[in-house]
Amino acid sequence: GAVVSQHPSWVICKSGTSVKIECRSLDFQATTMFWYRQFPKQSLMLMATSNEGSKATYEQGVEKDKFLINHASLTLSTLTVTSAHPEDSSFYICSARRGVGNQPQHFGDGTRLSIL
Amino acid sequence: AQSVTQLGSHVSVSEGALVLLRCNYSSSVPPYLFWYVQYPNQGLQLLLKYTSAATLVKGINGFEAEFKKSETSFHLTKPSAHMSDAAEYFCAVSPANTGNQFYFGTGTSLTVIP
């Protein structure tokens, strides 16, 4: 159990395009979903935390208008990179959690975003 | 403040040798602890978790970790390394008395030498 599906796995697009990434918890209801960015050979950088029906909480330095997060249901969160530029190229990973405390995060397989 | 430290950003072991990946946490109250593995171009997969039951926790793929309160440690071990164990490993902590915080270590890259 605790499967998280992230789509798409690879995106290549032109500068100025907006890109939407979906994160779905397939077999559980996620009270919280997280979005991370990961640079090569580095740890995860938390971008934002979102709870269903609430506005996402963004980490310091993450542009809210650039990275739009929508958490429409207990099983779906989306990250939209608006007007993407080459510096936004990265590996984006989502995770979902069904509670707090001793509940682990369950991760999607990530999305490799390349902006030309 | 909560933090987690992984000593050794790179660890190399021979195939068949013991794997030991270190993780220390700082917290006045023992947190919940997790180990994740990440293969190239993939998300993180949960290996095991400590949730205040048994201090020796067994996980998937033959890994286990022992919670030692006196040492504030949660080191990951495997008796015999396989080539397929080569990956990035992350230790993570979730505070026991707060909400959604979740802190990751900087990761340890494991290389297995044939």
Side-chain angles (χ1 to χ4, degrees):
Chain A
V3 178
V4 175
S5 173
Q6 187 173 340
H7 178 81
S9 54
W10 290 83
V11 180
I12 302 174
C13 59
K14 294 181 179 179
S15 184
T17 306
S18 292
V19 178
K20 180 185 283 188
I21 303 170
E22 287 190 352
C23 182
R24 294 180 183 270
S25 56
L26 298 185
D27 53 0
F28 68 100
Q29 292 187 326
T31 53
T32 308
M33 287 187 168
F34 305 83
W35 287 96
Y36 294 88
R37 185 172 179 174
Q38 188 177 33
F39 293 99
K41 301 196 181 298
Q42 294 189 25
S43 187
L44 304 170
M45 183 189 79
L46 180 64
M47 298 175 67
T49 303
S50 74
N51 294 292
E52 182 262 341
S54 303
K55 287 185 179 179
T57 301
Y58 289 82
E59 295 299 300
Q60 191 173 4
V62 177
E63 298 177 59
K64 300 178 183 180
D65 296 332
K66 177 72 164 176
F67 299 100
L68 300 178
I69 292 172
N70 182 276
H71 194 158
S73 74
L74 284 171
T75 59
L76 174 64
S77 177
T78 59
L79 168 68
T80 301
V81 184
T82 61
S83 186
H85 292 287
E87 58 266 28
D88 299 322
S89 299
S90 193
F91 191 57
Y92 294 87
I93 311 176
C94 75
S95 71
R97 200 178 187 193
R98 68 178 114 201
V100 296
N102 64 2
Q103 292 297 317
Q105 291 186 27
H106 301 283
F107 287 82
D109 281 338
T111 298
R112 175 71 60 191
L113 176 62
S114 296
I115 309 298
L116 305 177
Chain B
Q2 192 72 228
S3 73
V4 56
T5 303
Q6 289 183 242
L7 286 175
S9 57
H10 297 276
V11 170
S12 292
V13 299
S14 298
E15 190 175 14
L18 171 72
V19 176
L20 170 61
L21 304 182
R22 300 179 185 274
C23 174
N24 288 86
Y25 66 90
S26 66
S27 172
S28 57
V29 177
Y32 302 112
L33 295 147
F34 309 85
W35 274 102
Y36 288 86
V37 61
Q38 184 182 30
Y39 298 100
N41 294 311
Q42 293 187 26
L44 278 66
Q45 180 182 9
L46 180 66
L47 277 177
L48 48 80
K49 64 179 182 180
Y50 167 74
T51 58
S52 71
T55 56
L56 182 62
V57 181
K58 294 188 184 297
I60 62 172
N61 300 342
F63 284 93
E64 62 182 36
E66 186 172 9
F67 172 71
K68 291 187 177 180
K69 183 179 178 181
S70 60
E71 298 177 7
T72 60
S73 69
F74 189 56
H75 301 331
L76 182 70
T77 60
K78 182 173 180 177
S80 176
H82 294 168
M83 296 299 295
S84 59
D85 294 327
E88 190 81 18
Y89 291 81
F90 293 95
C91 180
V93 301
S94 173
N97 56 357
T98 59
N100 249 328
Q101 284 84 356
F102 210 93
Y103 303 94
F104 283 91
T106 50
T108 298
S109 177
L110 176 66
T111 300
V112 182
I113 304 166

